[in-house]
Amino acid sequence: MLFDRAWRAAAVAAPTMKLLIISMAIVSVQAAAPVFAETPPPAKPSELARVAILEFQDNTGQKNYGWVKTSLPDAINSSMKDQFEFQRAEVTGASKNLEKAKLSAGEVDAQNVNAFAEQQGLDIVIFGNFHYEAKTRMAVFTAEVYHHKGKRVIGTVVQQSKLNNDVFGTIDTISKKIVEHIYRFSLDLTEQQVVAKTEQSVRLLVLVPTWTNDAQKKAAVSELEVQKKELRKKYPAEFLTIFEFFNVKKTPAADQQQIEGFAKSRNDGAISEWLKAQKVKNAMIVFVSDNKVSLRPVVEGNSKPPVTYAVSASAAEKAGTIDAAVTASGMGVNLQKTTLKKDPGIRDRFSLAGGMFLLAPIGTGSDKMSAAPGLEIQALYRVVNLWAFQLGAAASLHGSWQKSYLKTGDEDFTLQHYTALAGPALIVPMPFYRSLEVQVLLLGGAAYSHLEKFKYVDTPLTFSGVNAAVSAQTEVRWHILLGVFVGVGASYHRIFYSGTDMSYLNTSLRAGYRF
């Protein structure tokens, strides 16, 4: 009887639990979109996205620009292949296996592209047109990117160029922007996230000579060119000497002198730290002495064991040693191409957050119940990733501490709650500002409650128990920069104690990171 009475009083004081979202790990095929795997092994052909790059429609009305029309697809393909792995689909005409197929590659436009993609079994179709503006004497290129499973054009690129050799530089720009559109659609990223992640995808290795005299400097610089040549044969990355890096990054003269000072004193550690500050993930420090070449790999600021080869070694021996240095240090993975796949991985689908909440009891009860603070840990995994909405699975852990007082104002008891909940989550990004999203969660689980200092008797008592709990929650979440976000939320919560209808409302503030 005493326990039952005490427990009913505890029920009146039961606090709300706040949700922590953890998504499930299975990706719905409806969310499938090509993505970039940061550290691939090369994907199997069946995993690669089938990308068709069609001839652009020539709207110039002049026959002498036909070369642009025919060369654009191959040029765009070559530019994309420099950084990304995908399967190009050759589609010069409609599929012969379909009786109703009447479209040729040259007839595809925004209205019939879906039928064409269906006929050809394509994941992505890149098509467009170009026209000539007499006033500016420039050609205007418009490229559109259609995603078959998304059933829509996911991006449009418009670039101007003179119709001469400048057009190939323009094609590189068009290709980069095409890939950014695919990237954004695949991962549902904000503009800032796309810029950051495409910058991260650049494969770069900086070669740094060190020396103690001019002869060693000359020999080391000469070896840099040998290494660049051998590395380019195997890795689709950019290889720069430290001097070329200075020019590209417009490094101040004072910094250049400082690095040369480190090189002369063979201060590898200082060189590594400077490169890390410049966000250079991969570097090779080269030293030539006594007819031997020493290569020390540096990966994300961490020096790795050096390897050596003789200055007089054959080209094959040098190539093998250089490759061994890259492979053993682990930087080889960083220098591989990213892979464009049919289906998305789990990047940017998992988020983890922590926060505080304040709960307030609602319902009937004779005792005065005070609001109570609490702490929570929260995670979210997005299972279905569509443009209009996303679905996830959720779970949470949190705890709260509450005091209850009698009508006389005397302290009655203290109550602690530790709750675990799980359930589905609906996430709706704002259409015109996708950094902002609304989340709705329905959760169920259990709460462990601990009651102390119950004063219906002279001697303080302690009780503990586990009861079922449910919660309905909503949150507005704002992704501030890259993966960092903040959110505010409100929820209704109930723990099922016998003999009470007490429920709780709470408000919460949290911050976290989306991986």
Side-chain angles (χ1 to χ4, degrees):
M1 292 292 294
L2 183 61
F3 179 87
D4 181 67
R5 186 179 180 190
W7 195 244
R8 291 191 182 191
V12 177
T16 298
M17 276 315 296
K18 188 68 182 160
L19 163 78
L20 174 57
I21 311 169
I22 295 181
S23 273
M24 313 300 286
I26 300 175
V27 179
S28 165
V29 294
Q30 294 181 9
V35 302
F36 302 108
E38 281 202 339
T39 57
K44 297 178 181 178
S46 60
E47 296 175 344
L48 296 176
R50 278 176 52 82
V51 180
I53 307 172
L54 308 184
E55 283 191 357
F56 280 37
Q57 294 182 11
D58 181 358
N59 295 330
T60 62
Q62 301 181 40
K63 295 182 179 180
N64 54 333
Y65 294 136
W67 65 272
V68 179
K69 174 181 177 180
T70 56
S71 60
L72 267 175
D74 287 338
I76 291 175
N77 176 69
S78 297
S79 180
M80 290 178 64
K81 282 286 187 181
D82 284 343
Q83 289 292 332
F84 303 100
E85 195 75 39
F86 59 92
Q87 181 183 1
R88 184 180 182 184
E90 297 295 339
V91 284
T92 56
S95 172
K96 296 180 180 179
N97 297 325
L98 296 176
E99 294 181 0
K100 296 182 180 180
K102 298 180 180 179
L103 295 174
S104 69
E107 296 171 337
V108 172
D109 57 26
Q111 283 70 43
N112 56 34
V113 63
N114 181 65
F116 184 76
E118 188 74 32
Q119 293 166 7
Q120 302 286 342
L122 304 172
D123 298 299
I124 297 170
V125 181
I126 299 169
F127 62 99
N129 62 77
F130 62 98
H131 66 273
Y132 185 76
E133 292 189 350
K135 289 184 179 180
T136 60
R137 296 184 179 181
M138 301 280 280
V140 179
F141 296 87
T142 301
E144 298 193 76
V145 186
Y146 178 83
H147 191 278
H148 180 46
K149 289 186 178 178
K151 302 296 182 185
R152 65 185 179 89
V153 172
I154 61 174
T156 301
V157 180
V158 180
Q159 286 292 126
Q160 290 186 340
S161 173
K162 294 180 179 179
L163 285 175
N164 53 26
N165 288 340
D166 292 350
V167 75
F168 295 103
T170 301
I171 287 170
D172 286 338
T173 302
I174 292 173
S175 300
K176 180 180 178 181
K177 291 186 177 181
I178 285 172
V179 170
E180 287 181 0
H181 282 300
I182 298 171
Y183 207 179
R184 185 181 297 113
F185 175 79
S186 302
L187 304 179
D188 196 31
L189 300 179
T190 64
E191 186 75 27
Q192 294 89 341
Q193 287 174 307
V194 169
V195 171
K197 291 185 182 298
T198 51
E199 285 179 354
Q200 291 170 8
S201 72
V202 174
R203 309 310 189 194
L204 172 67
L205 186 148
V206 176
L207 298 160
V208 186
T210 58
W211 62 89
T212 56
N213 56 56
D214 290 342
Q216 289 178 347
K217 178 180 179 180
K218 183 178 179 180
V221 171
S222 176
E223 286 299 322
L224 300 188
E225 296 303 320
V226 173
Q227 291 158 28
K228 285 170 63 175
K229 179 180 178 181
E230 294 301 328
L231 288 166
R232 283 171 177 160
K233 290 179 181 178
K234 185 169 183 178
Y235 298 101
E238 186 175 4
F239 301 96
L240 301 176
T241 68
I242 189 65
F243 310 110
E244 292 168 335
F245 183 80
F246 288 158
N247 291 333
V248 170
K249 294 295 184 179
K250 296 181 173 57
T251 304
D255 284 3
Q256 294 185 35
Q257 292 174 3
Q258 182 184 43
I259 295 304
E260 289 206 22
F262 292 152
K264 290 178 182 178
S265 61
R266 298 203 59 203
N267 191 340
D268 294 357
I271 294 172
S272 300
E273 286 299 318
W274 185 84
L275 289 170
K276 184 178 180 180
Q278 303 302 310
K279 299 182 179 179
V280 174
K281 291 185 176 181
N282 313 295
M284 194 80 76
I285 297 176
V286 182
F287 179 69
V288 180
S289 178
D290 298 328
N291 294 319
K292 289 186 178 181
V293 180
S294 172
L295 307 178
R296 180 179 292 279
V298 178
V299 182
E300 297 186 357
N302 299 314
S303 293
K304 304 296 181 179
V307 298
T308 61
Y309 62 81
V311 173
S312 59
S314 67
E317 290 174 331
K318 290 184 178 182
T321 305
I322 293 168
D323 187 54
V326 171
T327 304
S329 65
M331 71 168 61
V333 175
N334 295 339
L335 300 177
Q336 294 289 348
K337 290 182 183 178
T338 51
T339 303
L340 194 59
K341 292 186 178 180
K342 293 181 179 180
D343 300 321
I346 63 171
R347 282 182 53 80
D348 298 288
R349 292 173 180 262
F350 177 74
S351 57
L352 186 65
M356 301 179 63
F357 61 88
L358 183 68
L359 61 88
I362 58 175
T364 60
S366 59
D367 291 342
K368 178 182 178 182
M369 305 298 295
S370 61
L375 298 175
E376 62 179 346
I377 301 174
Q378 180 181 86
L380 170 67
Y381 186 88
R382 299 160 196 250
V383 180
V384 176
N385 188 22
L386 303 179
W387 185 85
F389 67 90
Q390 299 155 16
L391 298 177
S396 69
L397 298 173
H398 68 94
S400 63
W401 303 264
Q402 187 174 19
K403 287 186 177 181
S404 179
Y405 297 88
L406 298 173
K407 290 182 178 180
T408 60
D410 295 330
E411 182 179 338
D412 188 3
F413 59 80
T414 60
L415 183 64
Q416 300 176 35
H417 271 161
Y418 304 95
T419 306
L421 299 169
L426 171 67
I427 304 104
V428 182
M430 297 296 97
F432 302 106
Y433 186 63
R434 299 185 68 79
S435 295
L436 193 67
E437 61 188 24
V438 177
Q439 300 180 359
V440 179
L441 309 140
L442 298 175
L443 310 170
Y448 170 78
S449 303
H450 183 73
L451 178 70
E452 291 182 335
K453 299 181 180 179
F454 191 78
K455 292 189 176 180
Y456 279 98
V457 294
D458 294 335
T459 303
L461 301 176
T462 299
F463 301 99
S464 300
V466 177
N467 294 82
V470 294
S471 181
Q473 306 182 9
T474 184
E475 178 189 351
V476 177
R477 180 171 291 186
W478 177 35
H479 293 84
I480 302 174
L481 179 65
L482 300 180
V484 178
F485 63 82
V486 294
V488 293
S491 64
Y492 168 83
H493 186 76
R494 181 166 181 177
I495 300 176
F496 291 93
Y497 298 106
S498 60
T500 178
D501 63 352
M502 185 64 74
S503 302
Y504 302 88
L505 294 176
N506 75 349
T507 56
S508 63
L509 176 65
R510 67 176 66 94
Y513 190 81
R514 182 173 171 181
F515 298 91

